[in-house]
Amino acid sequence: MRPTAAAALTLALGALVAAVPVTAPPLPPAAVPASVLPVGPPMTRLAAAVGAGSPASQPARNPAASAADVPLPPPVDAEALPADGPPRALPGVRQDVQCSRGTHTPDAASVAALLWGQQVLALPQLGSLSSGRGVRIAVIDTGVSPHPLLAGRLRDGGDYVAGGNGLADCDGHGTAVAGIAAAAADPGTGFSGVAPAAQVISIRQSSPSFTVPGRGGVRQASGNLSTLATAVVHAVELGADVINISEVACAGPNAPGSAELHAAVRAALLRNVVVVAAAGNFGSGSSGECPGQPEAGTVVYPAWFDDEVLTVAAVGPNGLASQFSYPGPWVDVAAPGERLVSLAADGSGLTDQLSQVLSTSSIDGTSFAAPMVAGLAALIRARYPQLTARQVMDRITATAAQRASGRGDSVGYGAVNALAALTRTPAVLPPPSSVPANGDTGTLRLTPTPSDQAPAGPGALWGGAFSLLATLTAAALAVGRLRAGSTPAGDQLSDRSPGRRL
């Protein structure tokens, strides 16, 4: 995670108490938002189309366009936290597009070429270390359809779009996300999710197939920041250990619903839940989407709340940051997000394409990089159950394939190194230093570096924390100065893949 000025000043003291799990207070009650509909300037498109397309279809980005500084988020308003309750249909919701059942099923040879992401994460080696058993991953998305490779591990978490149980996916996006995070191994093709024994809680929070009444009588895609906040609270109450949010909204600071979302992700962290979010994809610039170039005055939700959220950018098979991946000072790590394969929403097997409202797209986007990291977080939580949510996030960032230039807006601290994240000792690792990168190119080293070190025992937890205190004290002061003075270029990102996911 990228420490902010305020957070950096507390790192040294936090290292001592971070060595053991803590029990957080229950979520406090708060008023439900008066309306689930967006109010004011364009803000969400949380349920717009899926994915931004392949890098080949994206124009070259202008690094100079991302030089404007981004404001820090305001303090968390605890009174804005939504109350939990049974998910209900959105007022005036209407299904405008028939649920898609047509998918492209690649043959075994084609699937083999699409498994590069699993190979980069070294999934066969990870299986001997952790499978994610006993860990619950909440997928807040377009729903997750039942599938044989999720059998016995898929739980209905509710539907904030149409009022169902969350186990209907008209768009295929949520099912693909869940498959990347937690599908069981498919013996016929070799495909597997990152955490193949983890449980999945499906919460439908948006869908481009459904619309709701908007301002001026114009209907808009379902889902907004307020409903996303409520879904996060609900996931926590359902017992999630990890929450994956492959949805984003690009808007100005303090957009309607942002206070509720900020309070929700903070409450999740306090309840010891790891929240993983997509960085967002460049959009077409239409209403509510992230712009085609980074723009001053635009932030990405929920990634902007970087103290509480682990934000994931996408990289391709060439080891470079994907051109569609929206950069920003909130980007923490990167993971494979191009030319992927996952579960088909019709339960027929695997697919390498998703059906959108009027077209189909390949499985590209930061939406699909995020569940790679959510699955990794589940593996860590199963292997090191004593670690807090913050410590899990620190392990992922501290073991990423960092470049000599340090952190950059394109890929954060670098591509995740799953094997190192599961084996590096001591068990409690410090967050990486927040040294801004000069001339960030997004170039990554994707080959995992094996570690032969054994995991630390309980005694190493306290020892590691005390040994880090002096280092963190100095680093906190330096990080505070860096964040207050000069944030790496590229702030204000947006998202998208068309709207949501990334």
Side-chain angles (χ1 to χ4, degrees), residues 122-131 383 419 422:
L123 292 194
Q125 294 170 270
L126 303 185
S128 63
L129 300 171
S130 177
S131 64
R383 183 170 172 83
L419 196 57
L422 286 172

Side-chain angles (χ1 to χ4, degrees), residues 94-361:
R94 183 180 76 198
Q95 184 172 352
D96 292 329
V97 178
Q98 184 177 2
C99 293
S100 172
R101 287 291 176 239
T103 57
H104 176 259
T105 303
D107 56 31
S110 298
V111 170
L114 300 172
L115 297 181
W116 70 272
Q118 284 85 350
Q119 294 165 3
V120 165
L121 266 65
L123 292 194
Q125 294 170 270
L126 303 185
S128 63
L129 300 171
S130 177
S131 64
R133 188 175 304 280
V135 177
R136 289 157 292 196
I137 304 174
V139 175
I140 299 177
D141 212 282
T142 63
V144 178
S145 294
H147 194 285
L149 295 182
L150 294 173
R153 298 180 293 114
L154 179 60
R155 175 182 176 185
D156 57 290
D159 184 350
Y160 288 94
V161 176
N165 62 6
L167 299 184
D169 183 7
C170 283
D171 313 290
H173 190 271
T175 305
V177 166
I180 290 171
D186 178 19
T189 62
F191 169 80
S192 173
V194 178
Q199 300 176 42
V200 173
I201 303 172
S202 173
I203 300 176
R204 182 156 72 169
Q205 192 277 144
S206 63
S207 171
S209 299
F210 293 79
T211 61
V212 294
R215 300 182 66 185
V218 177
R219 297 190 68 83
Q220 60 189 39
S222 59
N224 57 42
L225 296 183
S226 294
T227 57
L228 179 56
T230 304
V232 170
V233 170
H234 192 54
V236 172
E237 292 299 339
L238 290 177
D241 302 296
V242 179
I243 296 175
N244 185 90
I245 304 176
S246 287
E247 302 181 325
V248 309
C250 283
N254 309 315
S258 63
E260 293 99 308
L261 183 56
H262 198 182
V265 294
R266 171 60 64 85
L269 182 64
L270 292 177
R271 288 280 292 272
N272 202 28
V273 179
V274 176
V275 179
V276 179
N281 304 341
F282 286 103
S284 64
S286 59
S287 175
E289 294 185 3
C290 291
Q293 294 281 0
E295 293 180 357
T298 298
V299 298
V300 179
Y301 297 98
W304 190 40
F305 308 128
D306 191 40
D307 277 352
E308 293 81 26
V309 175
L310 185 69
T311 300
V312 185
V315 297
N318 60 2
L320 301 177
S322 302
Q323 286 193 325
F324 57 71
S325 186
Y326 214 104
W330 39 73
V331 174
D332 296 302
V333 291
E338 294 180 25
R339 293 177 51 197
L340 303 179
V341 64
S342 191
L343 305 184
D346 62 1
S348 65
L350 305 180
T351 184
D352 59 354
Q353 294 182 3
L354 297 180
S355 296
Q356 302 185 35
V357 174
L358 297 175
S359 64
T360 60
S361 70

